[in-house]
């Protein structure tokens, strides 16, 4: 194992922040409903026509700059999104083009909210195989495309008409949770990997039986004339309560198993950097692991759930605040649509 580490990071969120009260103008919801159930206070949204690769670009540029390297040093891109610019091709290549990285391989992976542990696993494997040494890992989403409300009313501070309000309300359970943004990290083998620094191990799991807990029924090629589908099937369908239960049961289990495999005591972990889907989920996970809540920082209040982007955004904020220090032990964890879930241990 090359013991990869993070040598640079960056993030970007598009446009202004929209509060829970803003959303309450365009559908039947409220700050009183959203905040206690999720921890979310506001979120950002992509502009019309702003694909996810465009949101990812400033995040990637900041990561490259903070690593003190140039784009030309990047020899592989791993891109995670559940809202690609196009159904095909993937968005990693589009980001590579924006960065001027013609010829650099770009791999899209589809792990949604479990992106980060999977991405570290893939990056580590590419390094072990001698395929790449400086890997740009980017998680980004533009969920705005599936938001069900009247955008003009939302942007102009107006109240939407009755029909638009009714339609948006049908999809409110999902719509209030997500926000847009991108987080990027640059990975390289740790110079002190022989002394146990860098990535220690990853453990990832998939349960396709539960793919219907969060999915978009339309847009795939299960049917002839795949474009002829009812509009409701194009909007994500989510079984919120079931997902909640899966997360609070499976995340502590995968963290414990990973720690046991590598002889790491939970108490020795300095930071639990968890996917930001819901503060209540993460509260239950750390409680179940018996770790102090202050070791699991949260930024969901400001961004909502940015899916693949949450952990790299969190990493970037902590790095820029000087909170991540050489020698600290990090545990990354996340569960998302698929279902996919996993954890990773890293010594800085
Ligand atoms: C979605 C979630 C916040 C809902 O919380 P919950 O505690 O299950 O919801 P409750 O049972 O308290 O509330 C459900 C009620 O609120 C209503 N409701 C749903 N969304 C609402 C909204 N945005 N505003 C107001 N009311 C809403 C429902 O219609 C339902 O009303 P009813 O009881 O009259 O039918 C929670 O289940 C969750 O976070 N799940 C995980 C989702 C997730 O992580 N997704 C990411 C994918 S990896």
């Amino acid at each position: 194992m090359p013991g990869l580490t993070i040598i640079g990071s960056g993030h970007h969120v598009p446009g202004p922040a929209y509060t829970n009260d803003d959303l309450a103008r365009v559908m039947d919801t409220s700050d009183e409903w959203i905040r206690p159930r999720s921890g979310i206070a506001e979120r950002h949204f992509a502009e019309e026509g702003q694909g996810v690769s465009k949101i990812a670009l400033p995040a990637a540029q900041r990561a490259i700059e903070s690593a003190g390297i140039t784009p030309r040093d990047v020899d592989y891109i791993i891109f995670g999104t559940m809202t690609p610019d196009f159904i095909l091709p993937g968005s990693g290549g589009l980001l590579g083009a924006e960065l001027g990285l013609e010829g650099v391989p770009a791999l899209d992976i589809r792990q949604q909210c479990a992106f980060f542990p999977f991405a570290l696993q893939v990056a580590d494997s590419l390094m072990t195989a001698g395929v790449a040494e400086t890997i740009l890992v980017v998680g980004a989403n533009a969920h705005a495309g599936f938001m069900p409300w009247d955008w003009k009313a939302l942007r102009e501070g107006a109240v939407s008409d009755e029909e638009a309000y009714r339609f948006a309300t049908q999809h409110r359970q999902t719509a209030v949770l997500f926000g847009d943004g991108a987080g990027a990290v640059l990975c390289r083998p740790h110079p002190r990997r022989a002394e146990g620094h860098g990535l220690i191990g990853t453990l990832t799991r998939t349960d396709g039986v539960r793919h219907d807990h969060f999915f978009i029924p339309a847009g795939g090629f299960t049917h002839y004339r795949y474009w002829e589908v009812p509009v409701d099937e194009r909007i994500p369908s989510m079984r919120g309560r079931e997902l909640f239960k899966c997360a609070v049961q499976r995340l502590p289990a995968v963290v414990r198993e990973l720690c046991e495999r590598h002889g790491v005591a939970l108490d020795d972990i300095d930071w639990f950097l968890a996917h930001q889907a819901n503060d209540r989920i993460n509260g239950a996970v750390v409680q179940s692991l018996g770790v102090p809540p202050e070791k699991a920082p949260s930024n969901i209040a400001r961004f909502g759930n940015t899916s693949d982007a949450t952990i790299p955004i969190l990493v970037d904020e902590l790095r820029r605040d000087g909170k991540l220090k050489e020698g600290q032990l990090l545990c990354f964890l996340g569960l998302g649509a698929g279902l996919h879930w996993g954890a990773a241990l890293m010594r800085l």
Side-chain angles (χ1 to χ4, degrees):
M1 173 154 321
L4 75 78
T5 194
I6 293 168
I7 61 160
S9 62
H11 80 272
H12 172 69
V13 290
Y18 290 92
T19 64
N20 295 337
D21 287 341
D22 289 327
L23 302 194
R25 284 187 286 101
V26 292
M27 64 185 174
D28 183 10
T29 191
S30 64
D31 186 57
E32 292 71 35
W33 193 94
I34 299 167
R35 207 188 289 241
R37 280 180 184 74
S38 66
I40 299 167
E42 56 187 37
R43 73 289 283 151
H44 296 250
F45 292 115
E47 299 293 329
E48 164 66 29
Q50 184 182 32
V52 73
S53 57
K54 295 273 194 307
I55 297 176
L57 180 62
Q61 287 168 328
R62 283 169 196 156
I64 289 167
E65 195 187 311
S66 85
I69 63 170
T70 70
R72 275 278 139 218
D73 296 317
V74 172
D75 55 14
Y76 215 105
I77 297 170
I78 299 174
F79 197 98
T81 187
M82 60 179 248
T83 52
D85 300 64
F86 310 116
I87 290 179
L88 74 90
S91 293
L94 304 180
L95 174 65
E98 298 275 358
L99 288 167
L101 294 181
E102 200 185 325
V104 172
L107 183 70
D108 279 41
I109 64 170
R110 303 287 309 274
Q111 268 56 40
Q112 291 69 242
C113 302
F115 165 69
F116 206 69
F118 276 84
L120 292 182
Q121 189 175 57
V122 174
D124 190 65
S125 307
L126 291 168
M127 288 181 192
T128 306
V131 172
E133 196 170 66
T134 305
I135 303 182
L136 177 63
V137 170
V138 187
N141 274 290
H143 302 110
F146 68 65
M147 290 303 164
W149 46 66
D150 173 351
W151 277 103
K152 194 164 178 292
L154 184 73
R155 299 242 190 250
E156 293 176 1
V159 173
S160 60
D161 71 48
E162 212 175 298
E163 175 57 23
Y165 189 90
R166 190 194 55 74
F167 180 72
T169 299
Q170 280 173 19
H171 301 285
R172 63 184 174 177
Q173 187 209 16
T174 312
V176 297
L177 298 179
F178 292 94
D180 296 344
V185 297
L186 267 159
C187 299
R188 261 197 188 156
H190 199 298
R192 294 173 62 199
R193 56 193 176 279
E195 299 154 53
H197 289 257
L199 193 70
I200 295 167
T202 56
L203 183 57
T204 53
R205 302 272 184 222
T206 296
D207 169 10
V209 172
R210 288 173 179 72
H211 70 275
D212 62 349
H213 280 26
F214 187 44
F215 78 131
I216 301 179
F221 302 94
T222 312
H223 304 292
Y224 292 162
R225 300 176 68 82
Y226 78 96
W227 56 90
E228 291 176 353
V229 283
V231 66
D232 278 346
E233 291 186 21
R234 296 169 190 261
I235 297 182
S237 157
M238 185 177 80
R239 297 168 68 171
R241 290 209 151 185
E242 283 86 342
L243 273 177
F244 195 104
K245 281 186 221 149
C246 287
V248 301
Q249 288 163 2
R250 294 173 189 217
L251 286 171
V254 81
V255 169
R256 282 185 193 285
E257 191 180 338
L258 179 64
C259 287
E260 273 163 30
R261 281 190 189 188
H262 294 280
V264 167
L266 282 169
D267 285 348
D268 290 341
I269 296 172
D270 295 288
W271 296 105
F272 290 82
L273 301 179
H275 168 57
Q276 308 282 298
N278 186 319
D279 268 347
R280 283 193 302 146
I281 291 178
N282 290 347
V285 170
V286 294
Q287 192 181 17
S288 156
L289 290 170
V291 298
E294 56 273 18
K295 284 190 173 183
S298 165
N299 62 9
I300 195 171
R302 287 175 288 127
F303 302 126
N305 180 352
T306 55
S307 306
D308 309 64
T310 66
I311 296 181
I313 292 177
L314 197 57
V315 168
D316 184 46
E317 291 200 322
L318 292 170
R319 283 183 89 246
R320 284 172 198 269
D321 288 349
K323 292 193 174 146
L324 299 189
K325 299 189 170 63
E326 172 108 13
Q328 285 183 337
L329 189 54
L330 313 184
C331 178
F332 303 102
L333 56 150
L335 175 139
L339 298 178
H340 301 291
W341 68 104
L345 285 169
M346 180 186 286
R347 172 83 64 194
L348 291 177

